[in-house]
Coordinates of all heavy atoms in Angstrom, one line a residue:
E1 N 114.1 90.8 98.2 CA 115.2 91.3 99.0 C 114.9 92.7 99.6 O 114.2 93.5 99.0 CB 116.5 91.4 98.1 CG 117.8 91.8 98.9 CD 118.9 91.9 97.9 OE1 118.8 92.3 96.8 OE2 120.1 91.5 98.3
A2 N 115.4 92.8 100.7 CA 115.4 94.2 101.4 C 116.7 94.5 102.1 O 117.1 93.7 102.9 CB 114.2 94.2 102.4
V3 N 117.3 95.5 101.7 CA 118.7 95.8 102.2 C 118.7 97.4 102.4 O 118.0 98.1 101.9 CB 119.8 95.5 101.3 CG1 119.8 93.9 101.1 CG2 119.6 96.2 99.9
V4 N 119.7 97.7 103.3 CA 120.0 99.1 103.5 C 121.2 99.5 102.6 O 122.1 98.8 102.4 CB 120.5 99.4 105.0 CG1 121.0 100.8 105.1 CG2 119.3 99.1 105.9
S5 N 121.0 100.6 101.9 CA 121.9 101.1 100.9 C 122.5 102.4 101.3 O 121.8 103.3 101.8 CB 121.2 101.1 99.5 OG 122.1 101.7 98.5
I6 N 123.8 102.5 101.0 CA 124.4 103.8 101.3 C 124.2 104.7 100.1 O 125.1 105.0 99.3 CB 126.0 103.6 101.5 CG1 126.1 102.6 102.6 CG2 126.6 105.0 101.9 CD1 125.6 103.0 103.9
Q7 N 123.0 105.2 100.0 CA 122.6 106.2 99.0 C 121.3 106.9 99.5 O 120.5 106.3 100.3 CB 122.3 105.5 97.7 CG 121.1 104.5 97.7 CD 120.9 104.0 96.3 OE1 121.4 104.5 95.3 NE2 119.9 103.0 96.2
R8 N 121.1 108.1 99.0 CA 119.9 108.8 99.4 C 118.7 108.3 98.6 O 118.8 108.0 97.4 CB 120.1 110.3 99.3 CG 121.1 110.8 100.2 CD 121.1 112.4 100.3 NE 122.0 112.8 101.2 CZ 121.8 112.9 102.6 NH1 120.6 112.6 103.0 NH2 122.6 113.4 103.4
A9 N 117.5 108.2 99.3 CA 116.4 107.8 98.6 C 115.9 108.9 97.7 O 115.9 110.1 98.2 CB 115.3 107.5 99.6
H10 N 115.5 108.7 96.5 CA 115.0 109.7 95.6 C 113.7 110.2 96.1 O 112.9 109.5 96.8 CB 115.0 109.3 94.2 CG 114.1 108.0 93.9 ND1 112.7 108.1 94.1 CD2 114.4 106.8 93.5 CE1 112.2 106.9 93.8 NE2 113.3 106.1 93.5
S11 N 113.3 111.4 95.6 CA 112.0 112.0 96.0 C 110.9 111.2 95.2 O 111.0 110.8 94.1 CB 111.9 113.4 95.6 OG 110.6 113.9 95.7
H12 N 109.7 111.1 95.9 CA 108.5 110.5 95.3 C 107.6 111.5 94.9 O 106.4 111.2 94.5 CB 107.9 109.4 96.2 CG 108.6 108.2 96.3 ND1 108.4 107.1 95.6 CD2 109.8 107.8 97.1 CE1 109.3 106.1 95.8 NE2 110.1 106.5 96.8
I13 N 108.0 112.8 95.0 CA 107.1 113.9 94.6 C 106.9 113.8 93.1 O 107.8 113.6 92.3 CB 107.8 115.3 94.9 CG1 107.9 115.5 96.4 CG2 106.9 116.4 94.3 CD1 108.7 116.7 96.8
G14 N 105.6 113.8 92.7 CA 105.3 113.7 91.3 C 104.9 112.3 90.8 O 104.4 112.1 89.8
D15 N 105.2 111.3 91.7 CA 104.8 109.9 91.3 C 103.2 109.8 91.3 O 102.6 110.3 92.2 CB 105.4 109.0 92.3 CG 106.8 108.6 92.1 OD1 107.4 109.3 91.2 OD2 107.4 107.7 92.7
P16 N 102.8 109.2 90.3 CA 101.3 109.1 90.2 C 100.7 108.2 91.2 O 101.4 107.3 91.8 CB 101.1 108.5 88.8 CG 102.3 107.7 88.5 CD 103.4 108.5 89.2
P17 N 99.4 108.3 91.6 CA 98.8 107.5 92.6 C 98.4 106.1 92.1 O 97.3 105.7 91.9 CB 97.5 108.3 93.0 CG 97.2 109.0 91.7 CD 98.5 109.3 91.0
I18 N 99.5 105.3 91.9 CA 99.3 103.9 91.4 C 99.4 103.0 92.6 O 98.6 102.2 92.9 CB 100.3 103.5 90.3 CG1 100.2 104.4 89.1 CG2 100.1 102.0 89.9 CD1 101.3 104.2 88.1
L19 N 100.6 103.0 93.3 CA 100.8 102.4 94.6 C 101.0 103.4 95.7 O 101.5 104.4 95.5 CB 102.0 101.5 94.5 CG 102.0 100.3 93.4 CD1 103.3 99.5 93.4 CD2 100.8 99.4 93.7
R20 N 100.6 103.0 96.9 CA 100.8 103.8 98.1 C 101.7 103.0 99.0 O 101.5 101.9 99.4 CB 99.5 104.1 98.8 CG 99.6 104.8 100.1 CD 100.1 106.2 99.9 NE 99.4 107.0 99.0 CZ 98.2 107.6 99.3 NH1 97.7 107.5 100.5 NH2 97.6 108.4 98.4
L21 N 102.9 103.6 99.3 CA 103.8 103.1 100.2 C 103.6 103.7 101.6 O 103.6 104.9 101.7 CB 105.3 103.4 99.8 CG 105.7 102.9 98.4 CD1 107.1 103.2 98.1 CD2 105.3 101.5 98.1
T22 N 103.4 102.9 102.6 CA 103.2 103.4 104.0 C 104.3 102.8 104.9 O 104.4 101.6 105.0 CB 101.8 103.0 104.5 OG1 100.7 103.5 103.6 CG2 101.6 103.5 105.9
L23 N 105.0 103.8 105.5 CA 106.1 103.4 106.4 C 105.7 103.6 107.8 O 105.2 104.6 108.2 CB 107.4 104.2 106.1 CG 107.8 104.2 104.6 CD1 109.1 105.0 104.5 CD2 108.2 102.7 104.1
K24 N 105.8 102.5 108.6 CA 105.3 102.6 110.1 C 106.5 102.3 111.0 O 107.5 101.5 110.6 CB 104.2 101.5 110.3 CG 102.9 101.9 109.6 CD 101.8 101.0 109.9 CE 100.5 101.3 109.2 NZ 99.4 100.4 109.6
D25 N 106.4 102.8 112.2 CA 107.5 102.5 113.2 C 107.1 101.3 114.0 O 106.0 100.6 113.7 CB 107.7 103.7 114.0 CG 106.5 104.1 114.9 OD1 105.5 103.2 115.0 OD2 106.5 105.2 115.5
V26 N 107.8 100.9 115.0 CA 107.7 99.8 115.8 C 106.4 99.7 116.6 O 105.9 98.7 117.0 CB 108.8 99.5 116.7 CG1 110.1 99.1 116.0 CG2 109.1 100.7 117.6
D27 N 105.8 100.9 116.8 CA 104.5 101.0 117.5 C 103.3 101.1 116.6 O 102.2 101.2 117.1 CB 104.5 102.3 118.4 CG 105.5 102.2 119.6 OD1 105.6 101.1 120.1 OD2 106.2 103.2 119.9
G28 N 103.6 101.0 115.3 CA 102.5 101.0 114.3 C 102.1 102.3 113.9 O 101.1 102.4 113.1
A29 N 102.8 103.4 114.3 CA 102.5 104.7 113.9 C 103.0 105.0 112.5 O 104.1 104.5 112.2 CB 103.0 105.7 114.9
V30 N 102.3 105.7 111.7 CA 102.8 106.0 110.3 C 103.8 107.1 110.4 O 103.7 108.2 111.0 CB 101.6 106.5 109.5 CG1 102.1 106.9 108.1 CG2 100.5 105.4 109.4
I31 N 105.1 106.7 109.8 CA 106.1 107.7 109.7 C 105.9 108.6 108.4 O 106.0 109.8 108.5 CB 107.5 107.0 109.6 CG1 107.8 106.3 110.9 CG2 108.6 108.0 109.3 CD1 109.0 105.5 111.0
S32 N 105.6 107.9 107.3 CA 105.4 108.7 106.1 C 104.6 107.8 105.1 O 104.5 106.6 105.2 CB 106.7 109.1 105.5 OG 107.5 108.0 105.1
Q33 N 104.0 108.5 104.1 CA 103.3 107.8 103.0 C 103.7 108.5 101.8 O 104.0 109.7 101.7 CB 101.8 107.9 103.2 CG 101.2 107.0 104.3 CD 99.7 107.0 104.3 OE1 99.1 108.1 104.3 NE2 99.1 105.8 104.5
M34 N 103.7 107.7 100.7 CA 104.2 108.3 99.4 C 103.6 107.4 98.3 O 103.3 106.2 98.5 CB 105.7 108.3 99.3 CG 106.4 107.0 99.4 SD 108.1 107.1 99.8 CE 108.0 107.5 101.5
N35 N 103.4 108.0 97.1 CA 102.9 107.3 96.0 C 104.2 106.7 95.3 O 105.3 107.2 95.4 CB 102.2 108.3 95.0 CG 100.9 108.8 95.5 OD1 100.3 108.1 96.4 ND2 100.4 109.9 95.1
A36 N 103.9 105.7 94.5 CA 105.0 105.1 93.8 C 104.4 104.4 92.5 O 103.3 104.1 92.3 CB 105.7 103.9 94.6
W37 N 105.3 104.3 91.5 CA 105.1 103.5 90.3 C 105.0 102.1 90.6 O 105.6 101.5 91.5 CB 106.1 103.8 89.2 CG 105.9 105.1 88.5 CD1 106.2 106.3 88.8 CD2 105.3 105.2 87.2 NE1 105.8 107.2 87.9 CE2 105.2 106.6 86.9 CE3 104.6 104.3 86.3 CZ2 104.7 107.1 85.7 CZ3 104.1 104.8 85.1 CH2 104.1 106.1 84.8
S38 N 104.2 101.4 89.8 CA 104.1 99.9 89.9 C 105.0 99.3 88.8 O 105.0 99.8 87.7 CB 102.7 99.5 89.7 OG 102.6 98.1 89.5
P39 N 105.7 98.3 89.2 CA 106.6 97.6 88.2 C 105.7 97.0 87.0 O 106.3 96.6 86.0 CB 107.3 96.5 89.0 CG 107.3 96.9 90.4 CD 105.9 97.7 90.5
L40 N 104.4 96.9 87.3 CA 103.5 96.3 86.3 C 103.2 97.3 85.2 O 102.7 96.9 84.1 CB 102.3 95.7 86.8 CG 102.4 94.7 87.9 CD1 101.1 94.2 88.5 CD2 103.3 93.5 87.5
W41 N 103.4 98.6 85.4 CA 103.1 99.6 84.5 C 104.5 99.9 83.7 O 105.4 100.4 84.2 CB 102.8 101.0 85.1 CG 101.4 100.8 85.7 CD1 100.9 99.9 86.6 CD2 100.3 101.9 85.6 NE1 99.6 100.2 87.0 CE2 99.2 101.4 86.3 CE3 100.2 103.0 84.9 CZ2 98.0 102.1 86.4 CZ3 99.0 103.7 84.9 CH2 98.0 103.3 85.7
V42 N 104.5 99.5 82.4 CA 105.6 99.6 81.6 C 105.3 100.3 80.2 O 104.2 100.2 79.8 CB 106.3 98.3 81.3 CG1 106.8 97.6 82.6 CG2 105.4 97.3 80.6
F43 N 106.3 100.9 79.6 CA 106.2 101.5 78.2 C 106.6 100.5 77.2 O 107.6 99.8 77.4 CB 107.0 102.8 78.1 CG 106.4 104.0 78.8 CD1 106.9 104.4 80.0 CD2 105.4 104.6 78.2 CE1 106.3 105.5 80.6 CE2 104.8 105.8 78.8 CZ 105.3 106.2 80.0
T44 N 105.8 100.2 76.2 CA 106.2 99.4 75.1 C 106.2 100.2 73.8 O 105.6 101.2 73.8 CB 105.2 98.2 74.9 OG1 103.9 98.7 74.7 CG2 105.2 97.3 76.2
N45 N 106.9 99.7 72.8 CA 107.1 100.4 71.6 C 107.1 99.4 70.5 O 108.1 98.7 70.3 CB 108.3 101.3 71.6 CG 108.4 102.3 70.4 OD1 107.7 102.0 69.4 ND2 109.1 103.4 70.6
D46 N 106.0 99.3 69.8 CA 105.9 98.4 68.6 C 105.6 99.2 67.4 O 104.7 98.9 66.6 CB 105.0 97.3 68.8 CG 103.6 97.8 69.2 OD1 103.4 99.0 69.3 OD2 102.6 97.0 69.3

């Protein structure tokens, strides 16, 4: 799913270099890039 939400996006400052999100405009120009956590990286506790 992809939706517009009435909330501010949180900062990605400090996110580790696991995934790189690249946002582009309609002409293919890069608007911004940011690191992000991967949903595959999880903490377990046994």
